[in-house]
Amino acid sequence: LFGGGSPSTDRVDIWNSQTNIWTTASLSVGRNALAAASVGIYAFFGGGFPSPSTVVDIWNNQTQTFSGTTSL
């Protein structure tokens, strides 16, 4: 998973290693310089700019959707 970018974007690029296919999804808010981490089936995309952002988007790899958005 790759998310955000410069200039600010809401795009997330997702690589499926089983099918060898790239797909895309959208963050709730476009931003750059964000932080990302993964635990189990979840990937977390948080912070970044503009502002700085306090938004965290949570990707669920089983459902292939963002399961929630929260603030720091």
Side-chain angles (χ1 to χ4, degrees):
L1 295 169
F2 299 93
S6 183
S8 293
T9 180
D10 65 352
R11 182 177 170 142
V12 177
D13 295 310
I14 304 157
W15 172 251
N16 184 322
S17 62
Q18 294 177 334
T19 62
N20 292 325
I21 295 174
W22 284 96
T23 57
T24 61
S26 296
L27 298 167
S28 64
V29 177
R31 53 200 189 270
N32 64 52
L34 54 81
S38 63
V39 177
I41 64 168
Y42 299 103
F44 303 88
F45 299 87
F49 293 93
S51 291
S53 176
T54 60
V55 174
V56 177
D57 292 296
I58 304 165
W59 176 258
N60 182 320
N61 199 45
Q62 282 187 334
T63 63
Q64 297 289 295
T65 60
F66 282 101
S67 60
T69 301
T70 188
S71 293
L72 297 173

